Amino acid sequence: MLLYWYLAKGSFWAVKLLLFFFVVAAPGLLNGAIADPSTSLSLRHEPVQPLFYPSGLNPEKITLGERLFHDQRLGRESRMSCATCHSLENNGIDGLTRSMGRDKQGMLLNTPTVFNSSLNHRLFWDGRAHTLEAQINFVVEGIQEFATQWPVLLNKLKQDAQYRRSFSHIYSEGITAANVRNAISTFVRSLITINSRFDRWLLGDVNAINSEEKAGYHLFKKYGCIACHQGRNVGGNMFQKLGVFKAFFGHDKHARSHLGRYNVTGKEQDKHVFRVPSLRLVVLTPPYFHDGSAKTLKDAIKVMAEYQLGRNISEQDIESIIAFLKTLPGEYKGRVLSDGATQDASYKNTDDPE
Ligand code: HEC
Ligand code: HEC
């Protein structure tokens, strides 16, 4: 309970305590507490757990949600869909430093992947949305996103006979804001990348990862990365400050986009605090950080070691950790996610409008 409170607070002391706990004190004890013994007898007791496809998702809602996710009519000018910024062919991101936004002037934040996002305890860099449904409201009304209102959006959908049929087939109330949110959220919940090499190793396949990758995982724990990036999503379950051991932000430290959680709570101690990102697909989703300021994984890891852990890290250790991180992306619809997709920096929308 106390530990949980410290986690939620995300203060400097919390990190020290956590580091002590994970690295020095009792990894065995905690791992035992995290792992669910009922999942599998051969599941390794580790602070990272495997992903499984969620049970109980209605396939018809997934199909409907997938169509809505790709439908550009949702945007005010009928030219923007969720997929405009979260391209599934591009690992759920736009590949830009910061998202362009509706006015194409550029938003202030980097676009996180939608894959596995349903597993994060809060959504957005500042964690302002508690659920996927709430997150969709921000998109619909956000001036740089759909910039519309629900009644306008619903009217557009109601003109589509196929939507009218699908909605009334699945939901007794037909096309409503709550049902649109429900369908899109159900689709997003289905975007789980399963069967990664690392997960197969966690489940007992000793050959799923090689010795260098294993050494990288060991370093990831030894340095203390695991104190913040942990659990099923290798992150996404706590808030932490960027700049624990020394201040990360210079003269622009008062910029709204860098204030993070403070924008939600107004509390001084929440300045520069962010929802810790998941590292599940991190090797596929450059650039990094809330403002896209780290171009490569190497840059990001250097910053992490220096500012979050107060450590210098050797090139060799960085390479090892990257080797481990490369074992984390799993499969979606039977295909292992990879960086084979072309990164499209223009604002072209490749969705099929109908
Ligand atoms: C104009 C680009 C754009 C569009 C359109 C867009 N997003 Fe996003 N999305 C972003 C950016 C940028 C963020 C991070 C914003 C923040 O943290 O404040 C984000 C964050 C998210 C997150 C949170 C991920 C996490 O790990 O916290 C989810 C989930 C998400 N979007 C899903 C959607 C869905 C569903 C739609 C369509 C209803 C959508 N997005 C439309 C750019 C976009
Ligand atoms: C004290 C908590 C903490 C520790 C320890 C920590 N991180 Fe992070 N990590 C964060 C936070 C918070 C962010 C988001 C920062 C931001 O974007 O503002 C982050 C972001 C990242 C990112 C960028 C992810 C993305 O999608 O943009 C990578 C990569 C990363 N961390 C790797 C590591 C590695 C490797 C270690 C160990 C050397 C480590 N982290 C240690 C809290 C931590």
Side-chain angles (χ1 to χ4, degrees):
M1 227 21 240
L2 190 64
L3 181 71
Y4 184 77
W5 180 78
Y6 272 120
L7 288 179
K9 260 194 102 197
S11 71
F12 181 83
W13 290 106
V15 176
K16 284 201 161 170
L17 181 96
L18 268 171
L19 288 183
F20 175 74
F21 200 81
F22 272 97
V23 183
V24 189
L29 181 87
L30 193 72
N31 298 349
I34 288 176
D36 174 1
S38 65
T39 319
S40 160
L41 282 177
S42 56
L43 178 66
R44 279 172 207 277
H45 285 208
E46 293 292 340
V48 174
Q49 292 102 52
L51 297 179
F52 296 103
Y53 191 78
S55 60
L57 296 181
N58 177 336
E60 288 178 321
K61 288 185 181 178
I62 296 177
T63 307
L64 176 59
E66 180 162 16
R67 183 167 178 225
L68 289 162
F69 188 90
H70 290 90
D71 191 333
Q72 299 185 19
R73 282 172 296 181
L74 268 61
R76 184 193 190 108
E77 293 84 9
S78 296
R79 268 190 285 132
M80 184 187 268
S81 71
C82 306
T84 303
C85 302
H86 301 283
S87 161
L88 299 189
E89 290 71 42
N90 197 11
N91 301 311
I93 58 164
D94 52 18
L96 303 169
T97 302
R98 289 178 292 277
S99 175
M100 288 269 209
R102 222 177 103 250
D103 65 7
K104 302 191 174 39
Q105 301 298 305
M107 290 167 79
L108 296 169
L109 295 165
N110 175 263
T111 307
T113 181
V114 275
F115 281 105
N116 308 313
S117 62
S118 61
L119 304 175
N120 297 334
H121 82 312
R122 298 289 160 75
L123 298 155
F124 294 130
W125 288 102
D126 59 13
R128 67 189 180 284
H130 286 231
T131 60
L132 287 169
E133 286 81 356
Q135 177 269 322
I136 292 167
N137 282 335
F138 282 104
V139 176
V140 168
E141 283 159 20
I143 196 71
Q144 290 297 352
E145 291 160 297
F146 294 169
T148 186
Q149 274 117 33
W150 278 108
V152 180
L153 191 155
L154 295 176
N155 269 337
K156 286 199 226 169
L157 300 183
K158 282 175 185 166
Q159 283 158 32
D160 183 306
Q162 204 186 328
Y163 275 137
R164 287 201 303 272
R165 270 197 308 276
S166 309
F167 272 94
S168 56
H169 175 69
I170 302 172
Y171 304 99
S172 53
E173 319 80 20
I175 301 179
T176 66
N179 294 344
V180 171
R181 284 191 293 264
N182 180 266
I184 298 178
S185 307
T186 306
F187 171 63
V188 173
R189 289 193 176 96
S190 77
L191 299 172
I192 303 293
T193 60
I194 54 167
N195 205 24
S196 70
R197 287 200 292 123
F198 192 74
D199 288 0
R200 294 210 300 270
W201 179 76
L202 285 174
L203 289 164
D205 177 353
V206 288
N207 296 319
I209 64 174
N210 66 30
S211 55
E212 194 202 349
E213 293 158 348
K214 234 172 273 176
Y217 176 52
H218 185 66
L219 286 171
F220 188 80
K221 292 193 282 186
K222 200 167 140 234
Y223 272 97
C225 314
I226 197 77
C228 298
H229 300 278
Q230 46 159 284
R232 290 180 295 177
N233 224 5
V234 201
N237 62 1
M238 66 177 87
F239 290 111
Q240 288 292 342
K241 185 171 179 166
L242 177 57
V244 173
F245 278 81
K246 61 182 190 188
F248 179 76
F249 297 98
H251 61 278
D252 56 353
K253 67 179 175 194
H254 299 299
R256 190 179 153 80
S257 55
H258 296 329
L259 290 175
R261 188 89 190 124
Y262 173 81
N263 294 329
V264 181
T265 66
K267 289 185 188 151
E268 195 59 29
Q269 73 261 31
D270 285 337
K271 280 188 176 165
H272 314 306
V273 168
F274 296 89
R275 207 270 335 273
V276 174
S278 160
L279 301 185
R280 273 279 168 190
L281 294 190
V282 79
V283 292
L284 306 174
T285 58
Y288 303 104
F289 296 149
H290 66 284
D291 56 356
S293 58
K295 297 289 165 249
T296 66
L297 204 45
K298 215 176 184 178
D299 297 343
I301 295 174
K302 259 190 210 149
V303 167
M304 284 288 127
E306 187 179 346
Y307 292 87
Q308 303 304 80
L309 294 161
R311 305 268 309 259
N312 279 322
I313 187 166
S314 68
E315 294 282 316
Q316 202 185 345
D317 285 359
I318 293 179
E319 290 308 327
S320 272
I321 290 176
I322 292 177
F324 152 62
L325 295 173
K326 282 186 176 161
T327 69
L328 291 172
E331 296 163 10
Y332 171 64
K333 291 190 175 171
R335 182 179 69 86
V336 180
L337 272 69
S338 74
D339 55 5
T342 44
Q343 302 245 334
D344 188 358
S346 76
Y347 211 56
K348 196 172 90 244
N349 191 312
T350 50
D351 304 336
D352 182 359
E354 200 35 89

